[in-house]
Amino acid sequence: MANTQDNVMIRMEDIHKSYGDVEVLKGIDIEVHRGEVLAIIGPSGSGKSTLLRCINRLEDITSGLVEIEGGTLASTKGDGTVEYAKEEDSRKLLGCMGMVFQQFNLFPHMTVLENLLEAPVHVKKRAKEAVLPEAMALLKKVGLEDRADYYPAQLSGGQQQRVAIARALCMKPDIMLFDEPTSALDPELTGEVLRTMRELAAEHMTMVVVTHEMNFAREAASHVIFMADGVIVEQGEPQEFFAHPKEERTRAFLNNML
Amino acid sequence: MDKLMDTVVLMLQGSEVTLEIFCVTLVLALPLGILAALGRLSKLRVLSRFMEFYIWLMRGTPLMLQLLFVYFALPMIGIMLPDMAAALLAFTLNYAAYFAEIFRAGIQSVPRGQYEAAKTLGMTYPQTMRRIILPQVIRMVLPPVSNETINLVKDTSLIYILAMNDLLRVARTIVQREFDMTPFVVAAVFYLAMTAVLTWGFKKLEAHYGKYAR
Ligand SMILES: Nc1ncnc2c1ncn2[C@@H]1O[C@H](COP(=O)(O)OP(=O)(O)OP(=O)(O)O)[C@@H](O)[C@H]1O
Ligand SMILES: [Mg+2]
């Protein structure tokens, strides 16, 4: 909102992240514009999840710059230490983003509808009656309006993940982050989740998606990043990227996936 | 028959002391236990260490010794408490430590993803604890809490040594006076009845909190 001219929703510069002595991210730059779908692919352990989690501060960076919609979430000061935005600013920036996890992470003690209402009512302090129709509309959108009163344990994995997407959307985020949303699902259930995500992409939701689904990356993404060992090895438009990968590493990875 | 009625009436009075210790301890020790568990899990090392020490001390010494300490040793350093208050202090501190360990295990068994989901939805730490974590913890800790609670019923008899007229002491007094074993049997029935009520109550609670787990 702050940065409406160039519509940069996420800007990360020279991101480094270490766990103890192990450097997991070794200088990553990304820029995501409004309405873009960024797909991040790469072998296991390459740092994809870590990068995604640095965007919404589930992990703190070791050095670099993170900007969300033009507001600075984290920056590196002269002495090399990272400074995060103050509590209130931070809350506002992080509030622009919703996240969907590999393991769904629905609240098991709440019904589907309660999962959706929880944050709008208790974080945004909106009236339950006002949120209710929005929540039902979202459930309808993900095809689960008849499951509103079910508990997560009574749903299939694919249904749970669609609820998780609806729950994140119910906070009206500008950006959606997905960390391998279909990896915990049986193959026959991935389709329904990917369909929901494609619909979101078609509605120009800004999305960052870590995925092993090459078809999704090829067809729904506007930009693809291939990561290995904590660096971006190659990136580009999906057509070009998948048709003519330049790096040997990328070709080896893609051959393995297809 | 009259004698039995007299016995039962006397023992009902005794059971009042027992019940008071039981109820007050439970009401105080449960929330204290939650707070102690949160302290034990705190990132503040001082707090976490202090709670660890407190839990070790309470679980590492006999409750009987703790009762004697509060009752006889505290007055020596000028802290005089009424009998009931002294007993309640020892019981509460002791049981809070046991509950703390149960709650700590329960809190730690909630997957990290629950905290992360709450965080990405903008929930604060107190909100996350109150609305997301603790309801799940309660369900998980019900069986061990039920166990401890039933232990508490029987541990109340330890105040016997403080010469307070609880159920057991009343029973013994009558036994000695009348040279008749019946009061012991009546006492056993009292304890069993309390345990039965608790067992039933916890079963209901478990059913209530278990409804979402299919
Ligand atoms: N909390 C942590 N502490 C220490 N090391 C970690 C931690 N989280 C991740 N790592 C390490 O960082 C590296 C990158 O992990 P990350 O989860 O980002 O990989 P990934 O690309 O998402 O892999 P996958 O496809 O298997 O999900 C791995 O070597 C992992 O062992
Ligand atoms: Mg990952």
Side-chain angles (χ1 to χ4, degrees), chain A residues 103-168:
Chain A
Q103 299 299 336
F104 328 136
N105 295 344
L106 292 177
F107 303 133
H109 57 301
M110 299 180 184
T111 64
V112 165
L113 187 59
E114 286 166 350
N115 265 276
L116 264 66
L117 296 178
E118 178 64 22
V121 171
H122 290 98
V123 175
K124 284 190 172 167
K125 313 282 183 206
R126 298 181 55 204
K128 194 171 164 182
E129 300 72 44
V131 187
L132 197 64
E134 296 173 12
M136 286 313 292
L138 282 169
L139 284 180
K140 185 158 188 213
K141 183 183 166 121
V142 299
L144 290 170
E145 71 267 44
D146 55 339
R147 294 289 187 275
D149 295 323
Y150 283 49
Y151 284 93
Q154 297 168 316
L155 302 178
S156 74
Q159 291 172 329
Q160 288 189 52
Q161 193 61 300
R162 285 184 281 150
V163 173
I165 293 173
R167 178 177 71 176

Side-chain angles (χ1 to χ4, degrees), chain A residues 53 56-59 91 97 99 101 105-110 118-119 122-123 125 151 153-154 167-168 171, chain B residues 111-125 127 131-133 135-136 211-214:
Chain A
R53 294 160 59 85
N56 65 352
R57 217 189 161 178
L58 286 180
E59 304 286 350
R91 196 158 272 289
M97 295 181 280
M99 181 152 179
F101 301 85
N105 295 344
L106 292 177
F107 303 133
H109 57 301
M110 299 180 184
E118 178 64 22
H122 290 98
V123 175
K125 313 282 183 206
Y151 284 93
Q154 297 168 316
R167 178 177 71 176
M171 284 297 270
Chain B
R112 222 164 59 117
Q114 293 287 307
Y115 294 88
E116 295 182 343
K119 191 175 171 194
T120 61
L121 288 168
M123 300 178 80
T124 60
Y125 178 78
Q127 272 177 333
R131 303 205 42 92
I132 309 300
I133 307 301
Q136 297 183 54
K211 67 177 189 289
Y212 60 79
R214 199 177 346 211

